[in-house]
Amino acid sequence: WARFRQCLCVDFQHCHGLKIDVREAEVLLCMYHRNVAIVCLTETWRCCSEEREHEDLGALLLTNGLMKKEQTRRGSNGVGFMLSKNITRAWKASGSKYLEVSSRVAVLTFTRRVKVKSATVQSTVSEEVTIIVGYSPPHRSFGCYETAVLR
């Protein structure tokens, strides 16, 4: 059990728009109810790049999407991450690495400290974590491909 306590719990949410505070609050509520460290988000419909901190919970929302002139009226595209308080701290401490590949792909990288036990020694090691979120729209014959990859 102790070995699994160090696992990083990552969830995925296809948002169908994350432009209003209520939707954002729903993601946060589910995140903390399930004890999730990171939620990968797709179809946020937000434009440009955004970093929004929820100071009361210590959570951080990172999103990127199309430029405003490329958006439809309701919005389109957009991916991002919702980070828990501990992951936000780790992400900031390790240089705030966030790569916006496109309005459909983003990469988050951070370093976290993990306790390692052997038969005689307990130590703490640094572990680099890279998470990629990507979204491809539905295709007539193939359906929707949504991925969140932890490496």
Side-chain angles (χ1 to χ4, degrees), residues 7 19 21 41 134:
C7 289
K19 292 178 103 174
D21 290 342
L41 306 165

Side-chain angles (χ1 to χ4, degrees), residues 4 6 16 19 32 46 53 57 84 104 119 126 140 149:
F4 292 109
Q6 297 176 26
H16 297 288
K19 292 178 103 174
Y32 282 95
R46 291 180 181 256
E53 195 152 356
L57 297 171
S84 69
R104 293 193 180 270
S126 291
R140 280 182 267 145
V149 180

Side-chain angles (χ1 to χ4, degrees), residues 19-35:
K19 292 178 103 174
I20 57 175
D21 290 342
V22 173
R23 292 253 176 129
E24 214 171 299
E26 287 173 357
V27 172
L28 282 166
L29 182 64
C30 288
M31 180 179 187
Y32 282 95
H33 180 69
R34 295 178 178 166
N35 198 27

Side-chain angles (χ1 to χ4, degrees), residues 3 18 21 35-36 39 60 71 92 102 125 128 132 141:
R3 187 173 141 204
L18 193 65
D21 290 342
N35 198 27
V36 172
V39 180
L60 180 67
Q71 286 276 355
K92 287 180 177 180
S102 72
V125 297
E128 186 168 276
I132 304 166
S141 59

Side-chain angles (χ1 to χ4, degrees), residues 93-139:
S94 56
S96 305
K97 298 174 194 163
Y98 180 66
L99 176 63
E100 300 166 357
V101 178
S102 72
S103 63
R104 293 193 180 270
V105 179
V107 181
L108 178 78
T109 303
F110 61 93
T111 303
R112 70 180 190 146
R113 307 283 292 158
V114 179
K115 292 181 182 175
V116 178
K117 289 183 184 178
S118 70
T120 57
V121 180
Q122 178 177 336
S123 63
T124 304
V125 297
S126 291
E127 173 181 78
E128 186 168 276
V129 178
T130 300
I131 299 177
I132 304 166
V133 62
Y135 172 73
S136 177
H139 186 274

Side-chain angles (χ1 to χ4, degrees), residues 26-66:
E26 287 173 357
V27 172
L28 282 166
L29 182 64
C30 288
M31 180 179 187
Y32 282 95
H33 180 69
R34 295 178 178 166
N35 198 27
V36 172
I38 301 169
V39 180
C40 300
L41 306 165
T42 60
E43 285 297 309
T44 61
W45 299 351
R46 291 180 181 256
C47 63
C48 308
S49 299
E50 185 178 4
E51 185 176 314
R52 184 173 171 176
E53 195 152 356
H54 293 270
E55 294 176 8
D56 51 336
L57 297 171
L60 180 67
L61 174 67
L62 300 168
T63 61
N64 67 288
L66 294 172

